[in-house]
Amino acid sequence: MKLLLSAITLTVCIALTSCTNGQNPFPDNISVTKTENLKRLKGTKLFVSTPDSYKPMESMVRLQRDNNTYFQAIEIPNSNFNEYKSKLTKQAIESQGAKVDIDKPIKYNGFEAIYFSGPSKTDGETKLGLAFGDETFVMMIVGVCQTSDKAAMDELNKIFSTSYYDKSFDLNPLELANFKFDESITGFKYAATMGNMFIYSPNGKADLNSQQKLPSSFQIMTIEAPSFSKAKEFLDYTISRYSLQGIEVSNVKKQDISINDNDAYEVTMQATESNKKTTLYQVIIHKGGTAVLFLGSDEEGKWFDKFKATAQTIKM
């Protein structure tokens, strides 16, 4: 589980956290009181105030004004911000291929936090983010806008700096699940949610809290995908990031298949990290404008066939 969680977490974060100079200074200390004017971003414990022009895209845990201006939030399960913040330094982010113009520590409603910004890999696009947490969680909010649209940049910064995270909120971790599958094939139990990714392992939450070696696991997540080719492109990009996490892959096999009459793209491989070998089974299923991604990590050499059978039961 550690191998896949590490790779996916950093892939998501680097992909999202890659704004340029010239924006208004972000406050060093944020102190917001939770009021009725703040509305919860579904799938999170984050409460925000946005203009009416922002609409939810639940499959991405996102609020979007248009295709050029939006923000999304992701909470990383079983994480310690005091440890994780080392991955958010300018040097650490740029070592993953992104660029950072601003990276500064701040206070966010009593939590230690980091505000960061830098140019996107997309020409003319700016990204900015806010990460915060404590010894029990890490939360990231990431915004996107056009570099030339200073009003949008200021708007996103205002949304971030007037938001509130309610750690005590009783969140249904599966409220964004828009698919069904047969859990009985593996018998794995729900372990955690990270953004719109749902994680399952043999003993569920107990595996995340255990000090012992993490077992095999699988994750299911949804993404926006206007076409099957874009869905395939997303999975290939995810796989391409493994090497940046120190993961060597071999025996890679790819093929187009069908799952419940939907186009699907299946990729299998062997992965090695710190001399530990793992078999990975990954498939992305496309329907309409969305896709479901299934990622199975078989560290014990006995789940591969059951992962394939489980993926075949996914219904969107």
Side-chain angles (χ1 to χ4, degrees), residues 90-221:
K90 178 180 175 70
Q91 180 179 5
I93 294 177
E94 291 190 339
S95 71
Q96 302 299 320
K99 187 176 185 302
V100 179
D101 290 331
I102 301 173
D103 186 282
K104 71 170 185 174
I106 66 169
K107 286 292 185 180
Y108 175 85
N109 296 322
F111 295 114
E112 187 176 359
I114 297 175
Y115 175 82
F116 45 86
S117 63
S120 167
K121 65 178 182 179
T122 302
D123 290 340
E125 187 177 78
T126 282
K127 298 192 177 183
L128 57 157
L130 176 65
F132 59 88
D134 59 18
E135 69 280 359
T136 64
F137 80 98
V138 175
M139 184 73 182
M140 299 187 69
I141 316 171
V142 180
V144 173
C145 63
Q146 292 295 293
T147 306
S148 60
D149 192 347
K150 303 304 180 184
M153 192 181 301
D154 292 343
E155 188 173 72
L156 289 171
N157 277 326
K158 181 178 180 181
I159 292 170
F160 289 9
S161 61
T162 57
S163 64
Y164 182 87
Y165 179 87
D166 186 351
K167 185 177 178 179
S168 66
F169 182 81
D170 186 14
L171 177 69
N172 173 7
L174 297 174
E175 70 174 340
L176 291 182
N178 61 353
F179 51 82
K180 295 181 179 180
F181 68 96
D182 187 347
E183 298 180 29
S184 69
I185 295 174
T186 61
F188 284 14
K189 299 177 178 63
Y190 167 80
T193 297
M194 187 175 74
N196 61 339
M197 182 171 72
F198 307 95
I199 305 164
Y200 290 77
S201 67
N203 301 298
K205 294 181 180 180
D207 289 325
L208 290 181
N209 297 325
S210 173
Q211 298 301 312
Q212 303 300 315
K213 173 181 174 291
L214 291 173
S216 300
S217 66
F218 67 79
Q219 294 96 51
I220 305 181
M221 66 182 293

Side-chain angles (χ1 to χ4, degrees), residues 228 232 253-257 264-268 283 308:
F228 181 46
K232 294 174 65 174
K253 299 178 181 179
K254 304 179 179 182
Q255 65 174 337
D256 291 348
I257 62 174
Y265 176 51
E266 179 187 75
V267 182
T268 64
V283 63
K308 291 189 69 172

Side-chain angles (χ1 to χ4, degrees), residues 76-100:
I76 303 170
N78 200 47
S79 296
N80 184 326
F81 185 79
N82 295 327
E83 298 173 354
Y84 195 81
K85 64 183 181 182
S86 64
K87 297 180 174 66
L88 298 176
T89 64
K90 178 180 175 70
Q91 180 179 5
I93 294 177
E94 291 190 339
S95 71
Q96 302 299 320
K99 187 176 185 302
V100 179

